[in-house]
């Protein structure tokens, strides 16, 4: 091979590698790049050990439902996965129904905007985002409603990422991010005009505890909406395949046991909420929320090759490959849960905190 051919071949390989990692790498135009993957607040040399500790802790989710260490391991989980989520999925760490003619990004935004429309928040209102992640929903909701949104996340690394994104989006005047545990929030009683949680309270060991905290910080008359992860009426605890799928989702998403759809409204009423509306947004005529997971299988394999190469080169922390493989397997369990109809990540409940003078008749 002459020098010119060798040069051309080298240029093609270099260009292909750049396209593979840098162009295909970011989930969004302003998203995380593969070469920037980290372990969040965990130092690079401790990522693999933290992954092993996490996996050991969540291997039997139902057995840890009352464990005090759950919040700490949820924090560990998001240190491990936040960069991978941003890189491979985007800044909104949740699902949404597919909408014909709409991109995944547009469908996600509409799903988020629906939440703030349901709680009827507008300019000047102070709204709480319970479990805000890196703030994808927060920014969409603030831009749509012009409400002041305060997000809380247990993960310090996500706080820094959210603040960075808020500033880049020009929404830092409307969006505030606080590091804290939503089981014991650092906010005064009766201080928010509305609240929402999008696929976040599933991490709580006891749903009653987080709902009680949300109830406490809401002003009387304020509305709260949540999109909950649940098992549906199609789930059968005596079906080994059903159990395998649900346990796979729990282990791969730091969940201390998925709740039944029948538990959600009951828990809300127990802490004092009036249930205004309850609906599984995944049911027909909604289009499958898991279609994006199915369509993304080639991308998952591509990303896994990228992560493996970067870890081998010492660019990505040791253990990143294990974390990515866990998420890849979890995506399959989520798809099976959606296909079979035994799992929904968007069981919606809309609640109101009654005024003291209100009777507590539930609707």
């Amino acid at each position: 091979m002459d020098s010119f051919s060798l040069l051309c071949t080298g240029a093609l390989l270099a260009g292909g590698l750049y396209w593979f990692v840098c162009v295909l790498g970011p989930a969004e135009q302003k998203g995380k790049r593969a070469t920037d993957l980290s372990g969040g607040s965990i130092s690079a040399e401790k990522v693999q050990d933290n992954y092993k500790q996490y996996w050991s802790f969540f291997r039997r989710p139902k057995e840890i439902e009352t464990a005090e260490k759950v919040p700490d391991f949820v924090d560990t989980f998001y240190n491990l996965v936040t960069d991978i989520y941003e890189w491979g999925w985007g800044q909104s760490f949740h699902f949404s129904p597919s909408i014909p003619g709409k991109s995944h990004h547009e469908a996600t935004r509409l799903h988020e905007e629906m939440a703030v429309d349901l709680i009827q928040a507008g300019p000047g209102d102070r709204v709480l985002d319970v479990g805000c992640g890196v703030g994808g929903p927060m920014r969409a909701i603030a831009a749509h409603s012009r409400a002041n949104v305060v997000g809380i996340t247990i993960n310090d690394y996500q706080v820094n990422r959210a603040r960075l994104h808020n500033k880049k989006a020009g929404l830092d005047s409307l969006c505030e991010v606080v590091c804290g545990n939503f089981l014991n929030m650092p906010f005064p009683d009766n201080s928010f005009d509305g609240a929402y949680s999008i696929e976040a309270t599933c991490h709580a060991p006891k749903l009653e505890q987080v709902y009680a905290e949300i109830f406490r910080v809401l002003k009387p008359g304020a509305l709260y909406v949540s999109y909950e992860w649940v098992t549906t009426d199609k789930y059968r605890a005596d079906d080994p395949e059903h159990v395998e799928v649900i346990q796979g989702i729990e282990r791969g998403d730091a969940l201390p046991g998925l709740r039944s759809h029948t538990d959600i409204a009951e828990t809300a009423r127990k802490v004092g909420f009036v249930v205004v509306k309850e609906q599984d947004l995944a049911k027909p005529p909604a289009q499958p929320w898991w279609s994006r997971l199915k369509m993304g299988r080639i991308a998952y394999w591509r990303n896994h090759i990228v992560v493996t190469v970067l870890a081998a080169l010492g660019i990505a922390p040791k253990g990143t490959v294990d974390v990515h493989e866990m998420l890849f397997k979890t995506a399959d369990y989520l798809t099976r849960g959606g296909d079979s109809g035994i799992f929904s990540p968007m069981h919606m409940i809309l609640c109101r905190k009654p005024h003291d003078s209100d009777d507590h008749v539930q609707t």
Side-chain angles (χ1 to χ4, degrees), residues 160-355:
N160 294 328
R161 292 295 298 168
R163 288 173 178 168
L164 177 67
H165 290 312
N166 292 346
K167 188 172 183 179
K168 284 183 177 180
L171 292 167
D172 47 328
S173 63
L174 290 176
C175 298
E176 177 187 348
V177 191
V178 174
C179 188
N181 187 342
F182 59 33
L183 300 177
N184 185 23
M185 293 190 281
F187 306 122
D189 296 357
N190 308 318
S191 55
F192 287 95
D193 300 295
Y196 64 88
S197 54
I198 299 180
E199 302 183 27
T201 56
C202 51
H203 292 299
K206 290 185 177 180
L207 188 63
E208 181 181 346
Q209 191 173 352
V210 63
Y211 274 13
E213 269 293 274
I214 295 166
F215 185 89
R216 178 184 67 80
V217 302
L218 282 177
K219 295 177 182 178
L223 292 165
Y224 163 61
V225 66
S226 184
Y227 300 163
E228 294 287 350
W229 282 31
V230 298
T231 56
T232 72
D233 55 0
K234 293 184 178 181
Y235 174 71
R236 297 290 177 267
D238 57 354
D239 186 319
E241 185 175 355
H242 287 194
V243 172
E244 178 195 356
V245 168
I246 296 304
Q247 287 187 348
I249 293 171
E250 292 168 340
R251 284 194 300 267
D253 283 297
L255 307 180
L258 271 168
R259 298 170 182 98
S260 168
H261 67 288
T262 59
D263 296 336
I264 308 304
E266 179 184 349
T267 303
R269 292 188 178 102
K270 189 174 181 180
V271 304
F273 279 119
V274 173
V275 176
V276 178
K277 185 177 182 181
E278 186 179 20
Q279 179 184 353
D280 186 351
L281 300 177
K283 286 186 175 180
Q287 298 296 308
W289 56 266
W290 61 94
S291 62
R292 185 178 176 187
L293 291 172
K294 281 187 172 181
M295 292 167 60
R297 282 176 177 169
I298 294 176
Y300 293 143
W301 280 112
R302 178 206 71 203
N303 290 354
H304 197 65
I305 293 170
V306 171
V307 169
T308 302
V309 170
L310 292 176
L313 294 174
I315 298 172
K318 190 177 181 181
T320 307
V321 176
D322 295 326
V323 176
H324 192 269
E325 184 175 2
M326 175 188 74
L327 296 178
F328 180 79
K329 291 178 179 178
T330 305
D332 182 63
Y333 284 122
L334 288 163
T335 301
R336 289 166 62 186
D339 270 334
S340 62
I342 64 172
F343 165 74
S344 171
M346 53 192 71
H347 185 92
M348 185 275 291
I349 184 167
L350 178 64
C351 309
R352 176 172 53 85
K353 179 176 179 176
H355 292 278

